[in-house]
Amino acid sequence: MINIQNLVKTFGPKRAVDGVTFAVARGEVLGFLGPNGAGKSTTMRMITGFIPPTSGRVTVGGHDVVEEALAAKRLIGYLPEAAPSYPDMTVHGFLSFAADMRGLAGDAKLKAIGRVVELCFLASVLHQGIDTLSKGYKHRTCLAQALIHDPDVLVLDEPTDGLDPNQKHEVRNLIRELGRTKAVVFSTHILEEVDAACTRAIIIDRGRIVANGTPDELRGMSELAGAVTVHAAGADPVAMQDKLAGIAAVARVERVNGGVRAFPREKRAAGELARAVAELATREGWRLDALRTEEGQLDEVFRRITLPDTAKGADAAAGATA
Amino acid sequence: MTGARSTSWKAIRTIARRELVSYFTSPVAYVFLVIFLLLTGFFTFTAGAFFERGEASLASFFVWQPWLYLVLVPAVGMRLWSEERRSGTLELLLTFPVATWQAILGKFLASWAFLAIALVLTFPVILTVNVLGDPDNGVIAAGYLGSLLLAGAYLAIACMTSAMTRNQVVAFILAVVICLFLILAGFNPVTDLLTRWASPAFVDAVAGFSVMTHFDGFQKGVIALRDLVFFLSVIGFALFATSVIIRGHRAG
């Protein structure tokens, strides 16, 4: 549904988005990750046609967002960053305005408003002025606006920003649910959301895509992925470390609070490594408290690929001394 | 084609309605209306010497309007775009399936309609002059039309300056300065000064850009095509400039 090719946006000398290419199909929920200022919002603004690209092309549902702006915009529901709305309107007034702008009228309009009010839990504040609402309600009011015409494409810029944990949970579920029938792109800082809602994630840094894959694939890029951690009662960690280092498939062994972690030479050998460690434990008579294969951590992947090289070195050094 | 035209008017109407309602949901509208009517009354009856003139006309009512509007109209127009930019709703508005010109026209028409409402509320002066004497109501109607066009021209300029900045005060001051220039170019003391050292053709050309020159005819009851064209082109140009400015911001 969304097709982006070689998208570039420059602001003066700064290349905010620098050659981004990706596609999102119906039924996909794409998480858009990246540090602040990486170009997430700028990319989303170009998808929704708010700002024109410097070069490159975006099509939504086959319509070029510059050439056939109106046709593309009709397909898109957009929640801008910071979820703006008109503070002098009531929630109902605002949603009614959004429905009018989307060309909904009569019964269809009433139904649409009823549907989004229910989806976004706005019934209790429906006739309140937006300026009197808490941040969470304001946010959901703007989200409701994005859903009012039941769009095929949803572009959500930080949809869970400013929500409490329960609301975050609800919104993530909502996004996952909507993703079954729509193409969804949403940006976030929160890495758990990738697991909770995405079918695929893209990490963008300084205007470029630095990683693109399913949450499991991204996690697999972690150094930790495939490592086996062992906790054993009464065993001497130093001795355990030596024994584990003796296994052929083990590249190196590290001490972690109260246990020992063995990193494989090759990530594919993960299952074998766990079995080898278990056999070793039986032979040595270790009383195992826990033995697990690490899946890898998204935040480690995220940090490793988005930190500038110098900071990466410092980070690694800090990790080594710790 | 009629289908496309009707949806495009529908979008303009939707935007205009929202904008007009938003004037009246804030106290701004009522404060403005009260101040406008008080000042109009003061200028017409006290400063304009309505009774002392001893003639059945609204000359003292219309003659002050370029000056009165100079302050009041930019106050109505200054928030049009700067507020949308400041609060981020511009992003919402322009990602709805509407063209930029539709949004500009919708918002402009709403604030123009608001000024028309303010103007309609001055009807007691028409009653007064009709009770006291026997005025030429055709001249008064032409005066009102001129007044509405004058307000529209100022408003379009305020709309343009409002698109330039997210700060309403800056938008207001810029609009006042530009409108002041449009007054002074044809203001008698200024044109008198100019004639001392410039050729009459030059003075005429400068005065041709002034709202004073073109508002004059309406006050006398003359609806001349060139005056209509002048006001409508100021409005058209300023709104076009607004669209260029808004596009410029987005292009970064």
Side-chain angles (χ1 to χ4, degrees), chain A residues 9 11 45 48-52 70 73-74 78 80 84-86 88-89 94 97-98 100-102 142 145, chain B residues 10-11 14-15 17-18 22 25 79 84 87-99 250-252:
Chain A
K9 181 73 194 176
F11 294 109
R45 284 175 173 167
T48 55
F50 179 60
I51 53 177
L70 294 191
K73 284 176 183 178
R74 276 191 201 105
Y78 179 35
S85 54
Y86 293 103
D88 54 350
M89 301 178 95
F94 180 68
F97 168 67
D100 288 340
M101 291 302 289
R102 296 292 183 179
C142 194
Q145 160 281 129
Chain B
K10 220 177 141 218
T14 303
I15 291 170
R17 194 183 328 120
R18 197 210 70 75
S22 90
T25 48
R79 55 180 277 282
E84 298 259 358
S87 67
T89 45
L90 184 64
E91 197 164 347
L92 213 54
L93 186 62
L94 295 182
T95 52
F96 282 130
V98 292
R250 293 156 71 196

Side-chain angles (χ1 to χ4, degrees), chain A residues 3-11 17 19-20 42-43 45-59 64-67, chain B residues 250-252:
Chain A
N3 214 316
I4 296 177
Q5 268 160 22
N6 253 322
L7 200 62
V8 174
K9 181 73 194 176
T10 56
F11 294 109
V17 174
V20 164
T42 309
T43 305
R45 284 175 173 167
M46 286 190 278
I47 297 173
T48 55
F50 179 60
I51 53 177
T54 307
S55 70
R57 196 173 132 90
V58 180
T59 60
D64 187 297
V65 296
V66 179
E67 311 279 319
Chain B
R250 293 156 71 196

Side-chain angles (χ1 to χ4, degrees), chain A residues 100-179:
Chain A
D100 288 340
M101 291 302 289
R102 296 292 183 179
L104 295 166
D107 241 16
K109 178 175 159 181
L110 288 179
K111 272 195 193 131
I113 293 177
R115 185 175 52 82
V116 295
V117 163
E118 198 178 325
L119 273 179
C120 301
F121 308 99
L122 292 169
S124 60
V125 296
L126 197 53
H127 297 288
Q128 247 172 278
I130 291 177
D131 53 355
T132 67
L133 299 180
S134 67
K135 196 174 174 193
Y137 275 116
K138 279 182 189 164
H139 210 92
R140 280 184 281 162
T141 303
C142 194
L143 179 61
Q145 160 281 129
L147 299 172
I148 196 132
H149 54 307
D150 199 14
D152 283 340
V153 172
L154 268 177
V155 179
L156 311 171
D157 202 347
E158 300 193 5
T160 58
D161 181 47
L163 301 181
D164 70 34
N166 293 334
Q167 295 167 339
K168 279 191 166 116
H169 181 74
E170 294 292 349
V171 168
R172 280 174 208 157
N173 285 348
L174 179 61
I175 290 172
R176 201 174 47 216
E177 199 57 43
L178 292 166

Side-chain angles (χ1 to χ4, degrees), chain A:
Chain A
M1 294 295 290
I2 306 175
N3 214 316
I4 296 177
Q5 268 160 22
N6 253 322
L7 200 62
V8 174
K9 181 73 194 176
T10 56
F11 294 109
K14 188 174 180 282
R15 287 173 90 81
V17 174
D18 192 2
V20 164
T21 300
F22 65 87
V24 188
R26 197 186 280 274
E28 264 193 307
V29 179
L30 178 73
F32 216 48
L33 305 169
N36 287 324
K40 301 189 296 284
S41 290
T42 309
T43 305
M44 295 188 138
R45 284 175 173 167
M46 286 190 278
I47 297 173
T48 55
F50 179 60
I51 53 177
T54 307
S55 70
R57 196 173 132 90
V58 180
T59 60
V60 173
H63 304 287
D64 187 297
V65 296
V66 179
E67 311 279 319
E68 303 165 85
L70 294 191
K73 284 176 183 178
R74 276 191 201 105
L75 296 177
I76 303 174
Y78 179 35
L79 172 72
E81 193 179 11
S85 54
Y86 293 103
D88 54 350
M89 301 178 95
T90 64
V91 172
H92 185 270
F94 180 68
L95 293 177
S96 166
F97 168 67
D100 288 340
M101 291 302 289
R102 296 292 183 179
L104 295 166
D107 241 16
K109 178 175 159 181
L110 288 179
K111 272 195 193 131
I113 293 177
R115 185 175 52 82
V116 295
V117 163
E118 198 178 325
L119 273 179
C120 301
F121 308 99
L122 292 169
S124 60
V125 296
L126 197 53
H127 297 288
Q128 247 172 278
I130 291 177
D131 53 355
T132 67
L133 299 180
S134 67
K135 196 174 174 193
Y137 275 116
K138 279 182 189 164
H139 210 92
R140 280 184 281 162
T141 303
C142 194
L143 179 61
Q145 160 281 129
L147 299 172
I148 196 132
H149 54 307
D150 199 14
D152 283 340
V153 172
L154 268 177
V155 179
L156 311 171
D157 202 347
E158 300 193 5
T160 58
D161 181 47
L163 301 181
D164 70 34
N166 293 334
Q167 295 167 339
K168 279 191 166 116
H169 181 74
E170 294 292 349
V171 168
R172 280 174 208 157
N173 285 348
L174 179 61
I175 290 172
R176 201 174 47 216
E177 199 57 43
L178 292 166
R180 290 186 210 284
T181 53
K182 303 176 193 305
V184 182
V185 182
F186 79 96
S187 70
T188 180
H189 292 297
I190 307 167
L191 293 158
E192 323 149 24
E193 290 186 348
V194 175
D195 273 319
C198 296
T199 58
R200 197 153 60 87
I202 280 178
I203 302 180
I204 181 170
D205 182 34
R206 280 164 287 174
R208 288 171 175 280
I209 292 180
V210 288
N212 181 354
T214 64
D216 283 336
E217 283 167 1
L218 289 186
R219 237 193 317 272
M221 291 168 65
S222 166
E223 288 203 334
L224 200 58
V228 173
T229 309
V230 192
H231 291 263
D236 175 21
V238 181
M240 283 170 75
Q241 213 172 339
D242 286 343
K243 295 281 183 197
L244 283 170
I247 298 174
V250 169
R252 64 191 167 86
V253 185
E254 258 178 27
R255 297 255 298 277
V256 286
N257 47 9
V260 178
R261 180 174 293 156
F263 291 84
R265 283 187 201 284
E266 275 180 57
K267 281 187 181 166
R268 254 175 234 156
E272 295 164 30
L273 184 62
R275 278 193 295 280
V277 172
E279 281 162 18
L280 177 72
T282 324
R283 268 205 311 280
E284 297 292 325
W286 295 341
R287 287 160 51 214
L288 288 183
D289 289 332
L291 185 153
R292 65 170 181 276
T293 304
E294 303 288 347
E295 292 189 315
Q297 287 170 351
L298 280 173
D299 61 346
E300 191 233 303
V301 176
F302 181 83
R303 271 151 46 91
R304 194 158 47 82
I305 61 185
T306 60
L307 280 175
D309 292 338
T310 49
K312 213 185 287 180
D315 201 53
T321 52

